[in-house]
Amino acid sequence: MRSPSYLYELLESTIFTEGLDDSDLWMLFFSALWIRGASLEELTKDFHLDPTTRTPCYLSEILDHNIDDGSDWVAEVNGWIAIVPGHGDGERLRALSEGGREALGFRMDMSGNAYLEYARDGRMIVSFDPMAPDERYGDDPHALDHLMNGLRFEITVDVDDPVEVSESLSSALELIGRFTETDIATDWFQARHSRFRPTS
């Protein structure tokens, strides 16, 4: 049986190499975007990526490449295109969704804040902190509720069955998988996709 924190632990172990054992995703300002309704050509322009530099790449390799030359990891699955790092806040996500697109974002910062955000056609539909999901914002704050069955977000100190930060963030990642109708581990984290360097 998988740990309730499996997806978060998998993401963290995938991103960091042995030489960065003391680092974590909070320190990295980790961010990822999933976009539907845009072509790869459109997104390389939006993110100022050079399509001629496209090279096969695993997510486990992108941190070194990003530090070295600014490369982004770009993955295409089931009509969605993921980009890591996601480069942006809620307003950036909303803008990327304009023109009939959908955009789903997950980001973390050094202050211990995390955000799961979904925008559609230029509107922020729902935005919330996975560790405090009762405070939701957007045009339809409960738009993702139908996909949350069995997921645990709210941090608790229940001695018998606590919900810790890593489980809450794992639930957010599982929710992304459900929304994109993909296996977040094997389709995204462990599969080989591509990296692109920024335009000169």
Side-chain angles (χ1 to χ4, degrees):
M1 182 176 177
R2 295 196 318 193
S3 159
S5 302
Y6 168 73
L7 287 176
Y8 179 74
E9 292 166 354
L10 175 63
L11 175 60
E12 194 165 59
S13 65
T14 298
I15 291 290
F16 291 110
T17 61
E18 289 183 15
L20 295 169
D21 284 342
D22 293 333
S23 299
D24 60 30
L25 295 176
W26 302 97
M27 294 172 60
L28 186 63
F29 285 86
F30 178 81
S31 62
L33 291 174
W34 288 260
I35 301 168
R36 180 164 62 182
S39 68
L40 184 59
E41 181 181 6
E42 290 173 324
L43 291 179
T44 56
K45 291 178 181 177
D46 287 343
F47 284 84
H48 307 290
L49 301 175
D50 182 351
T52 67
T53 64
R54 184 175 189 173
T55 306
C57 183
Y58 288 97
L59 184 59
S60 59
E61 301 167 332
I62 196 57
L63 183 58
D64 286 342
H65 288 298
N66 183 263
I67 292 170
D68 182 52
D69 61 19
S71 288
D72 284 1
W73 186 76
V74 180
E76 300 174 86
V77 181
N78 199 30
W80 290 87
I81 298 176
I83 300 177
V84 178
H87 302 297
D89 56 15
E91 176 56 28
R92 171 68 167 150
L93 188 81
R94 187 204 60 73
L96 283 167
S97 76
E98 291 177 351
R101 299 175 180 178
E102 293 180 272
L104 193 63
F106 176 72
R107 57 192 172 95
M108 305 165 62
D109 65 31
M110 285 185 67
S111 299
N113 301 306
Y115 304 89
L116 181 63
E117 298 160 314
Y118 169 55
R120 183 178 62 233
D121 201 17
R123 296 164 48 227
M124 179 60 71
I125 304 301
V126 58
S127 172
F128 68 93
D129 180 341
M131 296 172 291
D134 289 343
E135 297 182 20
R136 302 181 203 183
Y137 307 93
D139 290 354
D140 185 0
H142 298 284
L144 303 180
D145 286 11
H146 66 289
L147 298 172
M148 293 185 182
N149 186 46
L151 301 180
R152 302 199 309 166
F153 295 94
E154 189 76 46
I155 303 302
T156 69
V157 292
D158 185 327
V159 175
D160 296 322
D161 194 18
V163 177
E164 298 178 353
V165 170
S166 56
E167 180 179 358
S168 178
L169 297 176
S170 284
S171 292
L173 296 170
E174 176 64 28
L175 179 58
I176 292 168
R178 292 179 182 184
F179 191 81
T180 58
E181 298 182 324
T182 58
D183 184 316
I184 199 77
T186 58
D187 289 339
W188 300 107
F189 297 169
Q190 297 173 323
R192 187 170 74 162
H193 292 287
S194 303
R195 65 180 173 92
F196 293 75
R197 292 200 302 271
T199 52
S200 300

